[in-house]
Amino acid sequence: MPAARRGRPGYDQRQILEIAVQVFIEHGYDATSVASLAERLGLSKSALYHHYASKERLLELALDEAMGSLEAVLREPGATAGSAGDRLEYVLRGAVRVLVDKLAYVTLLLRVRGNSDVERAALQRRRGFDDQITDMVRAAQAEGTVRADVGAAVATRLLFGMVNSIVEWYRPGGPEGAEALADDVLTIALDGLRTR
Amino acid sequence: MPAARRGRPGYDQRQILEIAVQVFIEHGYDATSVASLAERLGLSKSALYHHYASKERLLELALDEAMGSLEAVLREPGATAGSAGDRLEYVLRGAVRVLVDKLAYVTLLLRVRGNSDVERAALQRRRGFDDQITDMVRAAQAEGTVRADVGAAVATRLLFGMVNSIVEWYRPGGPEGAEALADDVLTIALDGLRTR
């Protein structure tokens, strides 16, 4: 740490992004001004502009961090090889891990409503991600590992409704870690709560 | 309709509330001014104040409509008599029905972050509702109808994460009606997606 700390005091690029995301979540992106963001960082507006060209650029990078992490799960071997049922399980577990690891970034992503080109591009990427999961559910239904009496698109939305809700209540360092949480999600989603 | 339409033209109390809720959802409650609301309604501000004392009063009534409808499910016979497992199933189905019937009101409720006394009171009521469901899950675990290897509180949060996500994508008049949607939620939540 000392080396990184030496020289000009203050925040590096990454730390500025982290804090901006926190401020966007607390006050809402639209309601946050560059002036209030600079004040929170203890920087002048021009110092902040030295790091990032605009407030929207911060949002764009934050949304890319969230979407990029989710999309990366789809490219991992566990998501590309094996039965569709196993791949779906892998991706659900991976999505829970991303939510926990990038909690603030995904929280911001899930609040996006499409109020600008940057937000609309993020929504478009989310739809592309959802479509890939829906295809996986459909393939798992075709191979017989996932029940076919729930439509693949509705099943995907309900599954990710459950997964995404984690950002509403999960707090890092709480009693339940990411792996235990993923186990719970998979238990309910795949096996259901009912005893038999 | 002719009788109700006779006399002073324009909106009645209920219609004003409905439209206000739509505007709050589209633009955000905090970003909506009484002036913009009055403009959308084609009313003067003073005419709007004749119906409702404040913007916050509209929010309060909207949140009460959503919470009151959810709480009413808990008082129905299906939620108060029978095994805890059956009661839980009844309440989940009832919650989906309320979400579909009162989609805009529940959407607004789920966006509340606690920025005012009215919002904090609504969050408190939501916690009370969640606690009653958690008790029901715990009772179902004790009687052996719901698996005990997922904590009751986490199970409740994940179940309602799935249920509440419906407001993000459900559109009235779409291919899936409320009952079919409730069937899908219960199938995934209770029996799971995996075939066996």
Side-chain angles (χ1 to χ4, degrees):
Chain A
M1 297 299 281
R5 288 277 176 211
R6 204 175 301 150
R8 189 174 53 76
Y11 301 108
D12 62 24
Q13 294 265 120
R14 179 71 190 183
Q15 289 168 317
I16 290 174
L17 182 60
E18 295 263 343
I19 292 168
V21 168
Q22 284 302 336
V23 176
F24 293 160
I25 290 171
E26 284 167 31
H27 302 286
Y29 172 76
D30 291 323
T32 303
S33 66
V34 172
S36 67
L37 201 53
E39 193 186 340
R40 170 76 168 261
L41 288 156
L43 294 174
S44 65
K45 276 172 68 174
S46 67
L48 178 51
Y49 280 127
H50 171 76
H51 290 284
Y52 291 100
S54 64
K55 185 178 84 158
E56 189 158 55
R57 180 66 184 145
L58 282 160
L59 178 65
E60 189 175 24
L61 288 169
L63 299 178
D64 182 61
E65 176 88 24
M67 271 317 309
S69 303
L70 288 167
E71 289 162 352
V73 173
L74 293 177
R75 292 190 300 269
E76 292 171 10
T80 54
S83 75
D86 287 347
R87 290 189 285 124
L88 179 63
E89 185 168 338
Y90 182 89
V91 169
L92 283 172
R93 190 176 288 281
V96 173
R97 195 184 63 233
V98 169
L99 254 74
V100 167
D101 286 350
K102 312 270 179 178
L103 196 62
Y105 295 91
V106 180
T107 301
L108 196 60
L109 174 68
L110 294 176
R111 293 204 188 155
V112 156
R113 302 262 166 253
N115 295 333
S116 65
D117 286 345
V118 163
E119 294 198 359
R120 280 184 288 274
L123 288 179
Q124 176 101 12
R125 266 173 94 174
R126 272 190 72 187
R127 276 191 293 273
F129 180 84
D130 289 349
D131 287 347
Q132 288 190 68
I133 308 294
T134 303
D135 287 345
M136 216 174 266
V137 171
R138 203 172 282 122
Q141 290 176 324
E143 77 189 10
T145 52
V146 160
R147 58 193 308 149
D149 57 350
V150 177
V154 170
T156 300
R157 282 168 163 158
L158 292 173
L159 284 176
F160 273 82
M162 184 157 64
V163 169
N164 292 338
S165 74
I166 290 170
V167 305
E168 299 292 331
W169 56 270
Y170 184 78
R171 293 296 164 264
E176 183 144 271
E179 284 309 311
L181 189 55
D183 287 342
D184 289 347
V185 168
L186 288 169
T187 296
I188 297 178
L190 300 179
D191 296 318
L193 278 173
R194 203 188 326 252
T195 53
R196 66 204 77 238
Chain B
M1 295 302 280
R5 287 278 175 209
R6 203 176 299 151
R8 188 174 53 75
Y11 301 108
D12 63 23
Q13 294 266 120
R14 179 71 192 185
Q15 289 168 317
I16 290 173
L17 181 60
E18 295 263 343
I19 291 168
V21 168
Q22 283 303 335
V23 176
F24 293 160
I25 290 170
E26 284 166 31
H27 303 285
Y29 172 76
D30 291 323
T32 302
S33 66
V34 172
S36 66
L37 201 54
E39 192 185 340
R40 170 77 167 261
L41 288 157
L43 294 174
S44 66
K45 276 173 69 173
S46 68
L48 178 52
Y49 281 127
H50 171 75
H51 289 283
Y52 292 101
S54 64
K55 185 178 83 156
E56 188 158 55
R57 179 67 184 146
L58 282 160
L59 179 66
E60 189 174 25
L61 288 168
L63 298 178
D64 182 62
E65 176 88 24
M67 271 317 309
S69 303
L70 288 167
E71 289 162 353
V73 173
L74 293 176
R75 292 190 300 270
E76 292 172 10
T80 55
S83 75
D86 287 346
R87 289 188 287 123
L88 179 63
E89 184 168 338
Y90 182 89
V91 168
L92 283 172
R93 190 176 286 282
V96 173
R97 196 185 59 233
V98 169
L99 255 73
V100 167
D101 286 350
K102 311 270 178 178
L103 195 62
Y105 295 92
V106 180
T107 301
L108 196 60
L109 174 69
L110 295 175
R111 294 204 188 154
V112 156
R113 303 262 165 252
N115 296 332
S116 65
D117 286 345
V118 163
E119 293 198 0
R120 280 185 288 275
L123 288 179
Q124 176 100 13
R125 266 173 94 175
R126 272 189 73 186
R127 277 192 292 273
F129 180 84
D130 288 350
D131 287 347
Q132 290 191 65
I133 308 292
T134 303
D135 287 345
M136 216 174 264
V137 171
R138 202 172 282 121
Q141 290 175 324
E143 76 187 11
T145 51
V146 160
R147 56 193 309 150
D149 58 351
V150 178
V154 170
T156 300
R157 281 167 163 160
L158 292 173
L159 284 177
F160 273 83
M162 184 156 66
V163 170
N164 292 339
S165 74
I166 291 170
V167 305
E168 299 292 332
W169 55 270
Y170 184 80
R171 293 297 164 264
E176 183 144 270
E179 284 310 310
L181 189 55
D183 287 342
D184 288 347
V185 168
L186 288 169
T187 295
I188 298 178
L190 300 180
D191 296 317
L193 278 173
R194 201 189 326 253
T195 52
R196 67 203 78 239

